[in-house]
Structures are given as structure tokens and as C-alpha cells.
Amino acid sequence: MKKFLKIFGGIILVLILLLALLPYLFKDQIMDRVKVEMDKAVDAKIEIADVSLSMFKNFPKLFVEIQGISVVGKGEFANDTLAYVGSLYTAVDLGSAISGKQLNVGAIVLAKTKVKALVLESGKANWDISKATAEEVVVEEESTEASDFKIIFEEVRVEDFALEYHDATLKANLVLTDLDLSLNGDFSAKETNLNVNSTATGITFDYEGIKYLNNANLGLEAALGADLENMVFDFKENKLTLNDLEFGMMGSFAMLKDAYKMDLKLDAKKTDFKSLLSMVPEAFMKDIKGLETTGNLVLNAFVKGEYREDHMPAFGAKLKVADANIKYPNLPETINNIKIDAEVNHPGGDLDALVTDVNAFHFEVANNPIDAEIHIKTPMSDPEISGLCKGVIDFAKICHAIPMDSIKIAGIVTSDISFNGRLSAIEKEEYEKFMAKGDLKLKNFEFTTPDFPQGIKIISSVLSFTPRFISLNSFNSLIGKSDVQLNGKIENYIPYALKGKTLKGNFNMSSKTFDLNEFMTESETKKVESTDTIPMSVVAVPANLDIRFVASMQKIKFDKMLIEDVKGLIVVKNSVAKLTNLSMNMLKGQMTMNGSYSTKDVKKPNFDFGLDVNDFDIKSTYESLSMVKKMIPMALNCEGKVSSDLKIKSQLNEEMAPVMNTLNGLGSFHSRGIIIKDSKAFVALAKALKNDSYKRISVSKFDMDFVITNGNIVVKPFKTKIAGHDATIYGTQSVDGKLDFTMNMKLPKEELGSDVNKFLANIPGNKTIDKLDVSVKITGTTDDPKVNLDLSKAIKQAKDAALKELKKKGKKDLEKKARDLFKKLF
């Protein structure tokens, strides 16, 4: 971060010098020269939109402004704007410049600036844009007298400054919505007094997933004694505010060559307890302005020593609250006897020396007390932790002390938990060296919100804590109308909480009825009514979980589908959910699933499943599963049952539907017989044959094998009977729905239409033809199939029959003529 500030400050300094020189040099030449010099210094794209000069805006001074300064990264950061300055301007006193001794430039203003600082997981930062230079050549300067020329400015102002800082290595994020700063004094003097007035709003800071500041406000009014030659600043009269907290600050701050040297102390000037509550995000502390509070606080902090990249200064903070109370307006109960005693201490150097102690945290609601403590040492190398949580929370009484708005909550939680030991003891499985004991009990717990209207009710649950695991002895709950029972163990919970290690668990899960429809939003329900499918979004599988569920669920309701007798093993591990022998009865048949669903790349989730389906009802399957609609649209008009052995894998889109051009697999379909009616393909066949009986046909027992490659389905030739007639079917359906199928059939000539039969009537030997070989070609698309008859084989049959008949007739004529000749001769 320090390097970023130096680079950003250097760029601004170059621009300030540009402002000073512009009145005396040509604008275009200056612009070109500055761009060349900046390009030599930094590996980034720097653009300046415009430079303007005016004698009228601040007459008799010359007004100079640079607009639209942007710094854009390269390589990995080619699409990221590191900094954008809307305007940098000042006014130059031309009279002072003519004297040759000094240049008076008045105020220097930096306006409408946005900075976005990024650090990738690799540690590479987008502000690291300085170009590598060749080995520096040290040139000894000739001894000359220092120049008396000075650049004098009265004030530096920053207006509408916004900052985003995202560090993937620290898992830290800082957002500052708006900063305004005014700094004035005699900057030409070696020693002077500076006045600082600054306000910052919309400050949000989170670290490792914990939000420490949420839309906070910060202010500083200070008078500084400044040694500008040595860059040492002493705080005199000052006021630092953080939301409603107000601090006095004493001490000094110095900028060294490779470090910052600090000796600062902060003490809270406001000592009423209510000022501390202003730090609690509004989402957790409603109507703070109407609170009635009593009690005082002591809050102070210090930092002393040098801060370098590999060294931390000493720092610490203390907070004490005694005998405080909170009373919300219009609520009968009071939160009483609030006590807090917490401190943080670090002697300097390695952060592993940091010690955090919450010696006491106590409050009471309706005579129900809660006590907690936590102590942490050596947090970086091997955390040593100890603490406790003991008390009773009656949520019905809590609701009488804290406004819950539209949240409905009830039930009693009883806890008596204590722990003491080092994380390494858990990691080495030396559980005898770590103490963790106690229980957490829930009874008749209920929770409902507008976003979760179905609510959850935990009739009873007991969690028992040991160093090795948390035992979930019972968990009997209702989620909406769905009952869920769980029992099992959670292991590795301490490394998971402290270091983000993998949380392990083994559970038995059962339910009599689980209704998934309750968890659909209102908008989703409306879509379901019109499309018969449930829109979904990607469900990310956590990477640091290793959980096994042995499931046994009697009924699951999903849209219009009822799934029964669900049994099997579900393992969630390394961002993958794996199903093993998960069997269920559904769609009037039975299915067993084996496979996995992965979100290792959450932008490209994928599945790899093997399905063993027995006697699924075709129409129910089509209406329930969107994938079947895409793969086999003809199923819409089918009645009957089908079985399948299927292996498929595919990438999924943001709605959890297969990306069809990534779908691959193979399998087979088997059926004892189906009926097809009003299918577009067979309606077209009936039209081609001029025989309406083909609009509704029966297909006898068949076994069909197929292969799916990048969404293209290839059906291998299989034999069956269509409308009682022998048929061989094969072909392809492309990923974009184009059809190329062939049905080779033997059809009675009576079913080939009047035109064909008229043609046959004129052919000798037609009475010997019973059935004709016909090829039905199905092309077009799944939405608009085209059917054509290929009668080439039938025509050949007719020719062969005619020739045979003619030969037969010719032979009979010769025999008759021979008999007549013999009669005449003899």
C-alpha cells in the first residue's frame, strides 16, 4: 500500500509541475513531453483528456486545469482503471513568476477522483506499474549554491475522492465512498503550522469475511506542527470522529525513507455508552436515535514505533463498559447490566505477539443472564484460545427488549460451553491436551421472516461439545411443512473456525415429507405456472466441507412431481457433491443415481451422472424434466413406460440447465410398448401416406442404443414394430435440433394411399405383392419436422413382380400355342 501511495503521489506531483510550467511553454509540446516521460517511468496507459488555460476565471491570475486523467493497467489489469482524476486545477500568479524568485500558485485542487487498487491471489498489485530500469548510474553533482526559487501554494484540497481496495491475499476489502480534504498553511517554510479538515463517508471494511465497518463516517479536524523538511508532524488541537465516537489525538507522525514512525494516543472524549452503539451496523441496531441508555465507557488506543513491510509498531486498545442499560421506545423490557471489558495488546514486531482478551461480556434480559469470555494468544503461528459462553436466551423476552420488525422469533437457547488449549493439539489429534466441554440446547425454537415466510421450527436439539467433535444428539425440526430429523457428528470445527480448515461431519438425515415447492419464490412460482419448469440458480458447493449424509426420505414434492422412498449416500467434499446409489421412486417408476455435481469452477458448474431408470412414465417425465424436452421433444406426444441405462455429463448454465453443446454420454432406452399420437413427425407421415391412421400409432417392444457427442444424438439402428408392421429405425438429432432419421418399414399396399394403389393396379402381378419396402425420411427440426417417402425399394418390388408375372404369362402363351400346333399336326 505504501508503494501505491508513492507511485500515485509521484504521478500527481508530475501533473502539478505541469500546471506550474504551462503558462511559459507551448501546451501541445508540454503534453507530448509529459506523456513520453510518464511512459518511460510507468508500465501503464496514461491518458489526459484536455488542458485548458484562462485569464478570465481567476483574473489577474492564470487559471490552469488538466481534465480527464486516467491510469489504466496492462496485462492482467488491462481492463482495470487504477485511477481517474476528473480535474486537477490551480491559479498561477504571473507577477510572482516574472520576479524569478518564486511562483505563487494559490490552491491546488484534486477533484472527482476514483482509485481502484487490486491485489490478486498471486500477490501481484495493479499499482505496481513502475518500469524496471537499468543499473543506476550515480553522478556526483557539482557543488553549487541552492537556488532561491520557490513554488508557493496556500492550500491543497481534495474533493469527491472515492477509493476501492481489494486484497485477495489478505481477504480484505475497503471501500470509501466520498472523501473531502482541506489542507492549508505555509508550504514554502521548513517549519509551519498546518490546518487539516477532512470528512470521509461510506467506509466499509471487511477482513476474512468479517465486516468490521459498515457504511461508517470518519472526520478529522486538526492543527499540526509540521517539519516539512524532515516530514515530521505533531498533533496539537484536534478532533477525530468515527460515527458518534469522538476522540482526542496526541503525539507525532513521521515519514522516514523506508518506514513510518508513529507515537500516537487516542482517548474517547464522549464517554456515554450510546456513542459506542453508533458503531453497530444499522441492520443489527434499529432506531438508535430513540434509544434510552445509561452507563459510561472508557475507550483508548495507542500506536508507537516504526511500521515497515516486515515490522509492526506496538499498538493496543482498551474498552470498558460498566452498568450500562438499553431501553427501546415502546418496548416493555430493558437490556440490563451490560458489562464489557476487552483489550488488544501488541508489543511490536511480529504479529504473532498479538494478545486479544475479552475478559467480560455480560448482559441480562428479564433476569436471563448471558456471560462470555474469549482470550487469544499467538494468533498467527499456533492460536492459543480459551473462553466460555454460559446463559439462557428466551427469545420471546428478547423480542420485548429489542425491536425485531417483521422477524418472528421464539424459543429458548441454553448454553454452558467452555474451552481451553492450542490449535496444534487438535491438528495433531492430541485431544487430551485441549479442553472443550458443554452443551447447547434449543427448545421450541421458531424463526420466520418476510424473505423466509415458511419459517423453521426446531422442536428440540442438543449439541454436545468435545475437543474432537460436536455431537448432534438430536435435531427434530419443521421447515415450513417439511419435517427434517438429523443426528451425527461435526469434526474439526475448531480449525474450521480459526483457520478456515475443512469442516467434517457424518449425519443421518430423514424426513417423512419434504416439500421443495415451499422454497420457490413468488416470481418463480408464476414462471412455473406458465412454463412447467422451475428456474434455478447455481448452488455453490463449499470447498472446505467434507460432509456425509445418509439420506432416508419418504416423500419429496417438487413442482407437480412426487418422489418417494429416497435412500442413498450424499458426500459433499472439495466443491463436489457426490451421490452413491441414491434410489427413489418417481414418475410412476424407479431410478437409481450415481454421479457428481461440481462447482470447482463456480462459473462453469458441471455434472457427471449415471442413471438406471425403470418404467418411467413417458408423459410425466416430459412434463417434469426440461432436459427431456430438449433431448427428446417427441416424448410430449407419447404414452407408455420406458426404462433406460444412461451415462451423461455436461456443463451447466446459470439456471442449472445443461449447456447442450457440452453434453456427452451414451445409453439405451427400452420399452414394452408405447403409443404416439399427434406427433408432428407422424402427422406429416400420415399426410404423406394419405392415411390418418398414422396420426396415432403403437410402437411395440424395442431396445434402442444411442451416443451423445457435444449435444448431438446418434441413434443406432434398432428393430421394432410400428402399427404392427416391422420397422428398422436409426438417425441423428443435432445439437441445434436438426433431424436426420430413417425408418425402413414393410407396409401393406392398402396403407400407401390411393395414388400408389392406382399405380400398382396397372402393373401385372400386383396381386402377388402383399407388403412393400418403404423408407420414411424425417428431416427438418424438432419444432418443424419434414417427412418424405422413399419408394425406390417399393418400385423395384413392383418391377420384379411385373417381370415375374410377364414371364409366367409368356410361358403359358407358348405352351398354349404349342398344344394348338400339335393338335393341328396330329
Side-chain angles (χ1 to χ4, degrees):
M1 192 66 181
K2 180 181 176 182
K3 188 174 182 180
F4 160 67
L5 293 173
K6 285 184 177 180
I7 293 172
F8 184 65
I11 292 172
I12 297 300
L13 181 61
V14 171
L15 294 171
I16 291 172
L17 291 174
L18 172 62
L19 290 177
L21 293 172
L22 270 173
Y24 311 106
L25 301 172
F26 295 103
K27 170 182 169 181
D28 293 339
Q29 291 176 330
I30 287 290
M31 289 282 290
D32 294 340
R33 187 61 184 171
V34 168
K35 288 181 178 180
V36 169
E37 292 302 319
M38 284 186 169
D39 186 58
K40 289 180 181 179
V42 298
D43 188 21
K45 183 180 179 182
I46 298 180
E47 295 289 343
I48 300 174
D50 192 25
V51 175
S52 61
L53 308 174
S54 174
M55 289 293 299
F56 302 104
K57 285 189 177 181
N58 209 337
F59 187 82
K61 294 182 178 180
L62 175 66
F63 179 82
V64 186
E65 182 179 20
I66 306 177
Q67 298 174 335
I69 308 158
S70 66
V71 182
V72 180
K74 293 182 178 180
E76 295 169 282
F77 304 108
N79 297 320
D80 296 317
T81 300
L82 168 60
Y84 177 82
V85 179
S87 175
L88 177 64
Y89 63 89
T90 190
V92 179
D93 183 356
L94 295 179
S96 67
I98 294 172
S99 70
K101 292 184 178 180
Q102 66 181 38
L103 181 66
N104 296 333
V105 296
I108 297 175
V109 182
L110 185 70
K112 297 180 180 178
T113 300
K114 294 182 179 180
V115 175
K116 187 174 184 180
L118 303 173
V119 182
L120 304 179
E121 290 185 359
S122 62
K124 189 173 182 180
N126 69 336
W127 65 77
D128 190 9
I129 57 176
S130 57
K131 283 186 176 179
T133 58
E135 186 177 346
E136 293 185 4
V137 179
V138 178
V139 179
E140 293 186 4
E141 296 183 2
E142 294 183 8
S143 178
T144 58
E145 292 185 3
S147 172
D148 291 332
F149 184 79
K150 297 178 180 179
I151 298 177
I152 307 290
F153 55 93
E154 303 165 358
E155 183 183 13
V156 175
R157 291 204 311 272
V158 176
E159 301 172 349
D160 299 330
F161 181 91
L163 170 68
E164 284 188 46
Y165 174 71
H166 305 286
D167 192 329
T169 61
L170 297 175
K171 297 181 180 178
N173 300 282
L174 172 66
V175 176
L176 188 156
T177 304
D178 182 35
L179 169 69
D180 295 303
L181 169 70
S182 173
L183 178 64
N184 58 66
D186 186 359
F187 291 94
S188 63
K190 292 181 179 179
E191 294 186 5
T192 186
N193 291 323
L194 300 178
N195 296 310
V196 182
N197 195 319
S198 176
T199 58
T201 59
I203 304 171
T204 299
F205 175 68
D206 65 81
Y207 176 66
E208 290 193 343
I210 300 175
K211 190 167 285 187
Y212 291 93
L213 293 175
N214 184 23
N215 203 30
N217 299 321
L218 181 68
L220 175 64
E221 297 177 14
L224 303 176
D227 179 352
L228 296 178
E229 186 173 34
N230 297 305
M231 297 301 286
V232 178
F233 304 90
D234 293 313
F235 284 86
K236 297 180 178 181
E237 295 181 7
N238 60 82
K239 181 175 72 173
L240 176 67
T241 58
L242 183 59
N243 288 350
D244 285 345
L245 282 172
E246 185 176 317
F247 297 92
M249 185 161 48
M250 300 175 291
S252 63
F253 177 84
M255 298 177 66
L256 307 180
K257 183 178 180 181
D258 296 314
Y260 299 110
K261 186 176 181 180
M262 295 170 277
D263 187 1
L264 299 171
K265 293 181 180 179
L266 284 84
D267 283 294
K269 290 185 176 181
K270 282 188 176 182
T271 58
D272 57 297
F273 178 61
K274 190 174 182 178
S275 63
L276 180 65
L277 297 181
S278 70
M279 294 300 301
V280 179
E282 186 179 351
F284 302 102
M285 186 66 73
K286 301 288 186 182
D287 305 321
I288 190 170
K289 293 181 180 180
L291 284 178
E292 298 175 17
T293 64
T294 60
N296 296 318
L297 65 86
V298 175
L299 177 59
N300 54 58
F302 77 92
V303 56
K304 185 173 183 177
E306 293 185 3
Y307 168 68
R308 300 186 296 274
E309 289 188 5
D310 57 348
H311 182 274
M312 296 293 291
F315 62 87
K318 288 184 179 180
L319 170 64
K320 287 191 176 182
V321 175
D323 301 324
N325 301 310
I326 300 175
K327 174 72 167 64
Y328 277 91
N330 304 319
L331 291 179
E333 294 287 353
T334 302
I335 305 173
N336 294 313
N337 199 17
I338 302 171
K339 295 179 181 179
I340 303 173
D341 181 2
E343 59 182 306
V344 174
N345 281 292
H346 182 257
D350 193 340
L351 266 180
D352 202 38
L354 181 68
V355 177
T356 303
D357 292 299
V358 179
N359 300 307
F361 182 84
H362 174 91
F363 68 90
E364 299 170 11
V365 178
N367 296 319
N368 289 327
I370 290 291
D371 285 282
E373 292 181 23
I374 188 165
H375 309 275
I376 304 175
K377 297 179 181 178
T378 59
M380 309 305 291
S381 60
D382 183 13
E384 180 182 350
I385 61 172
S386 62
L388 60 85
C389 180
K390 184 176 182 179
V392 177
I393 298 178
D394 186 337
F395 284 106
K397 293 178 180 178
I398 289 286
C399 291
H400 292 155
I402 301 174
M404 296 292 182
D405 292 340
S406 53
I407 297 175
K408 295 182 180 179
I409 190 169
I412 297 175
V413 177
T414 305
S415 66
D416 187 358
I417 303 166
S418 58
F419 50 90
N420 185 7
R422 286 189 174 274
L423 176 62
S424 58
I426 302 296
E427 293 177 332
K428 295 176 182 178
E429 299 184 0
E430 297 173 348
Y431 301 110
E432 71 280 359
K433 294 182 180 180
F434 195 101
M435 185 276 291
K437 62 181 181 179
D439 297 313
L440 179 68
K441 300 177 181 178
L442 284 79
K443 186 176 181 180
N444 295 327
F445 177 80
E446 297 183 41
F447 179 78
T448 305
T449 69
D451 295 329
F452 189 49
Q454 59 271 25
I456 181 171
K457 181 177 182 180
I458 301 175
I459 301 166
S460 65
S461 181
V462 179
L463 287 83
S464 298
F465 289 76
T466 71
R468 186 172 184 174
F469 56 79
I470 300 173
S471 178
L472 183 60
N473 300 322
S474 66
F475 185 88
N476 186 10
S477 68
L478 284 172
I479 305 175
K481 299 175 183 177
S482 305
D483 67 286
V484 176
Q485 295 81 40
L486 280 173
N487 64 74
K489 292 179 180 179
I490 302 172
E491 300 180 81
N492 213 43
Y493 68 96
I494 296 175
Y496 172 78
L498 295 179
K499 292 285 189 177
K501 297 294 183 67
T502 299
L503 184 69
K504 300 179 180 181
N506 269 289
F507 294 96
N508 294 312
M509 179 174 64
S510 61
S511 174
K512 293 180 180 178
T513 302
F514 200 93
D515 190 351
L516 289 173
N517 294 326
E518 284 192 279
F519 303 98
M520 294 160 54
T521 64
E522 183 177 350
S523 61
E524 287 174 339
T525 304
K526 291 178 180 178
K527 288 182 181 179
V528 168
E529 290 174 356
S530 61
T531 66
D532 291 330
T533 60
I534 297 179
M536 303 177 70
S537 58
V538 174
V539 179
V541 182
N544 56 346
L545 290 184
D546 184 359
I547 308 293
R548 293 166 57 89
F549 292 95
V550 177
S552 177
M553 309 180 81
Q554 294 181 20
K555 293 181 181 179
I556 297 177
K557 295 179 180 179
F558 181 69
D559 194 12
K560 300 175 182 179
M561 183 166 55
L562 180 63
I563 306 171
E564 298 180 298
D565 296 328
V566 179
K567 296 178 181 179
L569 175 64
I570 305 170
V571 177
V572 177
K573 185 177 182 180
N574 296 332
S575 299
V576 177
K578 185 177 181 181
L579 311 181
T580 303
N581 293 329
L582 189 69
S583 63
M584 61 198 74
N585 296 325
M586 58 186 288
L587 303 171
K588 301 179 182 179
Q590 196 272 341
M591 179 174 71
T592 300
M593 297 177 64
N594 286 277
S596 62
Y597 162 70
S598 173
T599 57
K600 288 186 175 182
D601 183 350
V602 75
K603 294 181 180 179
K604 296 180 180 179
N606 64 80
F607 70 86
D608 186 348
F609 283 114
L611 308 178
D612 184 4
V613 174
N614 290 306
D615 291 335
F616 267 19
D617 182 75
I618 296 175
K619 188 166 186 176
S620 299
T621 304
Y622 179 89
E623 292 174 348
S624 303
L625 301 176
S626 59
M627 187 170 68
V628 173
K629 291 184 179 182
K630 292 184 178 181
M631 291 177 59
I632 315 173
M634 191 177 72
L636 169 65
N637 306 97
C638 295
E639 294 180 358
K641 291 182 176 290
V642 67
S643 298
S644 175
D645 298 312
L646 178 63
K647 292 182 179 180
I648 51 173
K649 58 182 179 180
S650 174
Q651 184 181 315
L652 298 168
N653 63 19
E654 64 277 4
E655 293 183 352
M656 297 287 282
V659 179
M660 294 306 293
N661 61 3
T662 68
L663 185 67
N664 291 279
L666 54 87
S668 59
F669 280 112
H670 319 278
S671 178
R672 292 188 294 272
I674 61 175
I675 294 175
I676 303 174
K677 59 180 181 179
D678 298 325
S679 166
K680 290 183 178 180
F682 282 94
V683 167
L685 176 60
K687 184 177 180 181
L689 293 173
K690 296 183 179 180
N691 188 337
D692 287 345
S693 65
Y694 279 88
K695 291 181 179 179
R696 177 186 173 93
I697 63 171
S698 64
V699 180
S700 67
K701 178 181 177 181
F702 66 87
D703 296 290
M704 178 183 77
D705 295 323
F706 61 90
V707 175
I708 306 172
T709 305
N710 297 330
N712 299 294
I713 304 172
V714 178
V715 177
K716 298 179 180 180
F718 68 96
K719 294 182 178 181
T720 185
K721 287 190 176 182
I722 295 178
H725 309 304
D726 292 334
T728 300
I729 304 174
Y730 59 92
T732 63
Q733 177 179 310
S734 69
V735 67
D736 54 356
K738 292 180 180 178
L739 304 176
D740 185 8
F741 279 91
T742 298
M743 292 193 298
N744 291 326
M745 305 174 67
K746 285 187 175 295
L747 296 180
K749 59 184 179 183
E750 293 81 9
E751 295 186 9
L752 292 177
S754 57
D755 292 342
V756 174
N757 278 281
K758 285 181 182 178
F759 170 76
L760 291 175
N762 297 319
I763 294 177
N766 69 82
K767 292 182 180 180
T768 64
I769 301 173
D770 183 23
K771 293 184 178 181
L772 291 172
D773 291 326
V774 176
S775 288
V776 180
K777 300 290 186 180
I778 303 175
T779 57
T781 66
T782 53
D783 294 326
D784 185 22
K786 308 294 184 184
V787 175
N788 294 293
L789 293 179
D790 181 355
L791 298 175
S792 58
K793 291 182 180 179
I795 293 172
K796 186 176 184 303
Q797 281 182 275
K799 286 182 178 178
D800 290 344
L803 289 173
K804 188 175 182 180
E805 180 65 23
L806 290 173
K807 287 181 179 179
K808 184 178 178 180
K809 186 175 181 181
K811 185 178 181 180
K812 288 181 178 179
D813 288 345
L814 288 172
E815 289 177 351
K816 184 175 183 301
K817 288 180 179 179
R819 284 196 297 271
D820 293 341
L821 179 59
F822 287 144
K823 285 180 181 180
K824 290 179 180 180
L825 293 173
F826 300 100

